[in-house]
Coordinates of all heavy atoms in Angstrom, one line a residue:
G1 N -9.6 -20.7 0.2 CA -8.2 -20.4 0.4 C -7.5 -20.1 -0.9 O -6.7 -19.1 -1.0
E2 N -7.7 -20.9 -1.9 CA -7.1 -20.7 -3.2 C -7.6 -19.4 -3.8 O -6.8 -18.6 -4.4 CB -7.4 -21.9 -4.2 CG -6.7 -23.2 -3.8 CD -7.2 -24.4 -4.6 OE1 -8.2 -24.2 -5.4 OE2 -6.7 -25.5 -4.4
T3 N -8.8 -19.1 -3.7 CA -9.4 -17.9 -4.2 C -8.8 -16.7 -3.5 O -8.4 -15.7 -4.2 CB -10.9 -17.9 -4.1 OG1 -11.5 -19.0 -4.8 CG2 -11.6 -16.6 -4.6
L4 N -8.7 -16.7 -2.2 CA -8.0 -15.6 -1.5 C -6.6 -15.4 -1.9 O -6.1 -14.3 -2.1 CB -8.1 -15.9 0.0 CG -9.5 -15.8 0.7 CD1 -9.4 -16.2 2.1 CD2 -10.0 -14.4 0.6
G5 N -5.9 -16.5 -2.2 CA -4.5 -16.4 -2.7 C -4.5 -15.7 -4.0 O -3.6 -14.9 -4.3
R6 N -5.4 -16.1 -4.9 CA -5.5 -15.5 -6.2 C -5.8 -14.0 -6.1 O -5.2 -13.1 -6.8 CB -6.5 -16.2 -7.1 CG -6.1 -17.5 -7.5 CD -7.1 -18.2 -8.4 NE -6.7 -19.6 -8.7 CZ -7.6 -20.6 -8.9 NH1 -8.9 -20.3 -8.8 NH2 -7.2 -21.8 -9.2
L7 N -6.7 -13.7 -5.2 CA -7.1 -12.3 -5.0 C -5.9 -11.5 -4.5 O -5.7 -10.3 -4.9 CB -8.3 -12.1 -4.1 CG -9.6 -12.6 -4.6 CD1 -10.7 -12.6 -3.6 CD2 -10.1 -11.7 -5.8
D8 N -5.2 -12.0 -3.6 CA -4.0 -11.4 -3.0 C -3.0 -11.1 -4.2 O -2.4 -10.0 -4.3 CB -3.3 -12.2 -1.9 CG -4.1 -12.1 -0.6 OD1 -4.9 -11.2 -0.5 OD2 -3.8 -13.0 0.2
S9 N -2.8 -12.1 -5.0 CA -1.9 -12.0 -6.2 C -2.3 -10.8 -7.1 O -1.5 -10.0 -7.5 CB -1.8 -13.3 -6.9 OG -1.0 -13.2 -8.1
I10 N -3.6 -10.8 -7.4 CA -4.2 -9.8 -8.3 C -4.0 -8.4 -7.6 O -3.6 -7.4 -8.3 CB -5.7 -10.0 -8.5 CG1 -5.8 -11.2 -9.4 CG2 -6.3 -8.8 -9.2 CD1 -7.3 -11.7 -9.6
E11 N -4.2 -8.3 -6.3 CA -4.0 -7.0 -5.6 C -2.6 -6.6 -5.7 O -2.3 -5.4 -5.9 CB -4.5 -7.2 -4.1 CG -4.5 -5.9 -3.4 CD -5.0 -6.1 -2.0 OE1 -5.2 -7.2 -1.5 OE2 -5.2 -5.0 -1.3
R12 N -1.6 -7.5 -5.5 CA -0.2 -7.1 -5.5 C 0.1 -6.6 -6.9 O 0.9 -5.7 -7.1 CB 0.7 -8.3 -5.1 CG 0.7 -8.6 -3.6 CD 1.8 -9.6 -3.3 NE 1.7 -10.9 -4.0 CZ 0.9 -11.9 -3.5 NH1 0.2 -11.8 -2.5 NH2 0.8 -13.0 -4.2
K13 N -0.4 -7.3 -8.0 CA -0.1 -6.9 -9.3 C -0.7 -5.5 -9.6 O -0.1 -4.7 -10.3 CB -0.7 -7.9 -10.3 CG 0.1 -9.2 -10.4 CD -0.6 -10.2 -11.4 CE 0.1 -11.5 -11.4 NZ -0.5 -12.5 -12.2
Q14 N -1.9 -5.2 -9.1 CA -2.5 -3.9 -9.3 C -1.7 -2.8 -8.6 O -1.5 -1.8 -9.1 CB -3.9 -3.9 -8.8 CG -4.9 -4.7 -9.6 CD -6.3 -4.7 -9.0 OE1 -6.5 -4.5 -7.8 NE2 -7.3 -4.9 -9.9
E15 N -1.2 -3.1 -7.4 CA -0.4 -2.2 -6.7 C 0.9 -1.9 -7.4 O 1.4 -0.8 -7.5 CB -0.1 -2.7 -5.2 CG -1.3 -2.6 -4.3 CD -1.0 -3.3 -3.0 OE1 0.1 -3.9 -2.8 OE2 -1.9 -3.3 -2.1
G16 N 1.5 -3.0 -8.0 CA 2.7 -2.8 -8.8 C 2.4 -2.0 -10.0 O 3.3 -1.1 -10.4
A17 N 1.3 -2.2 -10.6 CA 1.0 -1.4 -11.8 C 0.8 0.1 -11.5 O 1.2 1.0 -12.2 CB -0.3 -2.0 -12.5
L18 N 0.1 0.3 -10.3 CA -0.1 1.7 -9.9 C 1.3 2.4 -9.6 O 1.5 3.6 -10.0 CB -1.0 1.8 -8.7 CG -2.5 1.5 -9.0 CD1 -3.3 1.5 -7.7 CD2 -3.0 2.5 -9.9
I19 N 2.1 1.7 -8.9 CA 3.5 2.2 -8.6 C 4.2 2.5 -9.9 O 4.8 3.6 -10.1 CB 4.3 1.3 -7.7 CG1 3.6 1.2 -6.3 CG2 5.7 1.7 -7.6 CD1 4.2 0.1 -5.4
S20 N 4.1 1.6 -10.9 CA 4.8 1.8 -12.2 C 4.2 3.0 -12.9 O 5.0 3.8 -13.5 CB 4.6 0.5 -13.0 OG 5.2 0.7 -14.3
L21 N 2.9 3.2 -12.9 CA 2.3 4.4 -13.5 C 2.8 5.6 -12.8 O 3.1 6.6 -13.5 CB 0.8 4.3 -13.4 CG 0.1 3.3 -14.4 CD1 -1.4 3.3 -14.1 CD2 0.3 3.8 -15.8
D22 N 2.8 5.6 -11.5 CA 3.3 6.8 -10.8 C 4.7 7.2 -11.2 O 5.0 8.3 -11.3 CB 3.2 6.6 -9.3 CG 1.8 6.6 -8.7 OD1 0.9 7.1 -9.4 OD2 1.6 6.1 -7.6
E23 N 5.5 6.2 -11.4 CA 6.9 6.4 -11.8 C 7.1 6.9 -13.2 O 8.0 7.6 -13.5 CB 7.8 5.1 -11.6 CG 7.9 4.8 -10.1 CD 8.5 3.4 -9.9 OE1 8.8 2.7 -10.9 OE2 8.8 3.0 -8.7
T24 N 6.1 6.5 -14.1 CA 6.3 6.9 -15.5 C 5.8 8.3 -15.7 O 6.2 9.0 -16.7 CB 5.5 6.0 -16.4 OG1 4.1 5.9 -16.0 CG2 6.1 4.6 -16.4
V25 N 4.9 8.8 -14.9 CA 4.5 10.2 -15.0 C 5.6 11.1 -14.5 O 5.8 11.2 -13.3 CB 3.1 10.4 -14.3 CG1 2.7 11.9 -14.4 CG2 2.1 9.6 -14.9
T26 N 6.2 11.8 -15.3 CA 7.3 12.7 -14.9 C 6.8 14.0 -14.4 O 5.7 14.4 -14.6 CB 8.3 12.9 -16.0 OG1 7.6 13.6 -17.1 CG2 8.9 11.6 -16.6
Q27 N 7.7 14.7 -13.7 CA 7.3 16.0 -13.2 C 6.9 16.9 -14.4 O 6.0 17.7 -14.3 CB 8.5 16.6 -12.4 CG 8.3 18.0 -11.8 CD 7.2 17.9 -10.7 OE1 7.1 16.9 -10.1 NE2 6.5 19.0 -10.6
H28 N 7.6 16.8 -15.5 CA 7.4 17.7 -16.6 C 5.9 17.4 -17.2 O 5.2 18.4 -17.5 CB 8.4 17.4 -17.8 CG 8.1 18.2 -19.0 ND1 8.2 19.5 -19.1 CD2 7.6 17.7 -20.2 CE1 7.8 19.9 -20.3 NE2 7.5 18.9 -21.0
E29 N 5.6 16.1 -17.3 CA 4.2 15.8 -17.7 C 3.2 16.4 -16.8 O 2.1 16.9 -17.2 CB 4.0 14.3 -17.9 CG 4.8 13.7 -19.0 CD 4.9 12.2 -19.0 OE1 4.8 11.6 -17.9 OE2 4.9 11.6 -20.1
F30 N 3.5 16.3 -15.5 CA 2.5 16.9 -14.5 C 2.4 18.4 -14.7 O 1.3 18.9 -14.6 CB 3.0 16.5 -13.1 CG 2.2 17.0 -12.0 CD1 0.9 16.5 -11.7 CD2 2.6 18.1 -11.2 CE1 0.1 17.0 -10.7 CE2 1.7 18.6 -10.2 CZ 0.5 18.0 -10.0
E31 N 3.5 19.1 -14.9 CA 3.5 20.5 -15.1 C 2.7 20.9 -16.3 O 2.0 21.8 -16.3 CB 4.9 21.1 -15.1 CG 5.6 21.0 -13.8 CD 7.1 21.4 -13.9 OE1 7.6 21.6 -15.0 OE2 7.7 21.4 -12.8
T32 N 2.9 20.1 -17.4 CA 2.2 20.3 -18.6 C 0.7 20.2 -18.4 O -0.1 21.0 -18.9 CB 2.6 19.3 -19.7 OG1 4.0 19.4 -19.9 CG2 1.9 19.5 -21.0
L33 N 0.3 19.2 -17.6 CA -1.1 19.0 -17.3 C -1.7 20.2 -16.5 O -2.8 20.6 -16.8 CB -1.4 17.7 -16.5 CG -1.2 16.4 -17.3 CD1 -1.3 15.2 -16.4 CD2 -2.3 16.3 -18.4
V34 N -0.9 20.7 -15.6 CA -1.3 21.8 -14.8 C -1.6 23.0 -15.6 O -2.5 23.8 -15.5 CB -0.3 22.1 -13.6 CG1 -0.6 23.4 -12.9 CG2 -0.3 21.0 -12.6
V35 N -0.6 23.3 -16.6 CA -0.8 24.4 -17.5 C -2.0 24.3 -18.3 O -2.8 25.2 -18.5 CB 0.5 24.5 -18.4 CG1 0.3 25.6 -19.5 CG2 1.7 24.9 -17.5
R36 N -2.3 23.1 -18.8 CA -3.5 22.9 -19.7 C -4.8 23.1 -18.9 O -5.7 23.7 -19.4 CB -3.5 21.5 -20.3 CG -2.4 21.3 -21.4 CD -2.5 19.9 -22.0 NE -1.5 19.7 -23.0 CZ -1.2 18.6 -23.5 NH1 -1.8 17.5 -23.2 NH2 -0.3 18.5 -24.4
V37 N -4.8 22.6 -17.6 CA -6.0 22.8 -16.8 C -6.1 24.3 -16.5 O -7.3 24.8 -16.6 CB -5.8 22.0 -15.4 CG1 -6.9 22.4 -14.4 CG2 -5.9 20.5 -15.7
D38 N -5.1 25.0 -16.2 CA -5.2 26.4 -16.0 C -5.7 27.1 -17.3 O -6.6 28.0 -17.2 CB -3.8 27.0 -15.7 CG -3.3 26.7 -14.3 OD1 -4.2 26.3 -13.5 OD2 -2.1 26.8 -14.0
A39 N -5.3 26.7 -18.5 CA -5.7 27.3 -19.7 C -7.2 27.0 -19.9 O -8.0 27.9 -20.3 CB -4.9 26.8 -20.9
L40 N -7.7 25.8 -19.6 CA -9.1 25.5 -19.7 C -9.9 26.2 -18.7 O -11.0 26.7 -19.1 CB -9.3 24.0 -19.5 CG -8.7 23.0 -20.6 CD1 -8.8 21.6 -20.2 CD2 -9.5 23.3 -21.9
E41 N -9.4 26.4 -17.5 CA -10.2 27.2 -16.5 C -10.3 28.6 -16.9 O -11.3 29.3 -16.8 CB -9.5 27.0 -15.2 CG -9.7 25.7 -14.5 CD -8.9 25.6 -13.2 OE1 -8.1 26.4 -12.9 OE2 -9.3 24.6 -12.4
A42 N -9.2 29.2 -17.5 CA -9.2 30.6 -18.0 C -10.2 30.8 -19.1 O -10.9 31.8 -19.2 CB -7.8 31.0 -18.4
A43 N -10.2 29.8 -20.0 CA -11.1 29.9 -21.2 C -12.6 29.7 -20.7 O -13.5 30.3 -21.3 CB -10.8 28.8 -22.2

């Protein structure tokens, strides 16, 4: 039971970290990445 509780806590922290990462990547950074991928594909 204690292990399951710890695993749940770790899972919640990971979900929080992923949400935080999603929020930090701005639309501009996403567009910049799309342009670079397009350039690499063209090359």
